[in-house]
Amino acid sequence: MNKVVPLKSNKAAEDPSDHLAHVYAQFPLQVADAAGVYLHTPDGRKVLDLYGGHAVAALGYGHPRWVDALTRQAQSLAFQSNAVPLDVRRRAATKLARFCGLGLDTVFFVNSGAEANENALKLALKLTEADRVVAVEGSFHGRTAAAGAVTWGAMKKWYGFPRAPFEVDFLPRGNVNAVNEIITDQTAAVIVEPIQGVAGAVHLGQEYLQALRHRCSETGSILISMKCNAVWVALAIPLPPTCTALRRM
């Protein structure tokens, strides 16, 4: 019979001698290794991994083709700066642009979701010269200055910076009427998760998302849409039509 393990604090992770900063609450789970879709604990249990490390490890663990690709690239070249042109980076961007089916002209790879959001917001503020950003209640976009500013509840709970880098308005979820009221020609960007993750897998719905798209087109605001740990920036002004900032996968 399957046993449900209560989510209590992980005492092993709270050992002050391990030199880790205890910033996040942790699951009561010790992981020794993994294979396929299962995590293996030191006491021999197999745990079905539906979490994938915030969806970063969504491909599973140890597939021979994945391991072979990583091994060959590590043997060839582990990493080099964006300032150095690399054929492997060019090929990855080209395949991604063709695969996603969004008609993207360019792809910009970055290290994290917060970094992608910071760049997207910076781009929106610069291109529109507006000074406000609209986000959605329940959203999570990261813990850096700009990304944290558009994260619901961050200001009261953990933000920590003396002020946000821009003014932020939050839209109620599912309230289509509020879309036209809150998004104005002073709105540089609207940032949205079509399916909110941290809030509990909340789907915002097609009608709501279409209302955001339509209103951004009316006001010239830039719609920033987070999808599957990627940030798609849809430009609704007379500039190159779309660009994307993609976090690590």
Side-chain angles (χ1 to χ4, degrees), residues 22 43 73 88 98 113 135 138 144 159-160 163 200 209 213 228 233 249:
H22 303 297
D43 59 3
Q73 186 58 49
V88 65
R98 290 174 178 170
T144 51
Y159 188 68
R163 65 190 62 84
L209 296 173
R213 172 67 277 163
C228 301
V233 185
M249 298 294 283

Side-chain angles (χ1 to χ4, degrees), residues 168-227:
V168 182
D169 302 300
F170 282 95
L171 278 168
R173 287 186 298 209
N175 189 335
V176 175
N177 293 329
V179 169
N180 290 337
E181 297 174 6
I182 295 177
I183 302 173
T184 71
D185 57 5
Q186 295 301 309
T187 302
V190 177
I191 184 167
V192 60
E193 303 163 276
I195 301 176
Q196 294 183 337
V198 175
V202 178
H203 194 294
L204 296 184
Q206 183 175 355
E207 181 184 12
Y208 188 74
L209 296 173
Q210 286 178 337
L212 294 179
R213 172 67 277 163
H214 179 72
R215 184 58 175 165
C216 285
S217 296
E218 288 182 334
T219 61
S221 306
I222 295 178
L223 181 63
I224 303 171
S225 178
M226 295 183 63
K227 299 180 180 180

Side-chain angles (χ1 to χ4, degrees), residues 102-125:
L102 295 175
L104 301 181
D105 295 315
T106 57
V107 174
F108 178 54
F109 294 109
V110 295
N111 183 62
S112 66
E115 186 179 355
N117 287 332
E118 292 272 335
N119 279 279
L121 291 165
K122 185 188 298 183
L123 178 68
L125 291 161

Side-chain angles (χ1 to χ4, degrees), residues 16-28:
S17 67
D18 65 10
H19 301 289
L20 289 173
H22 303 297
V23 177
Y24 302 107
Q26 295 191 310
F27 297 126

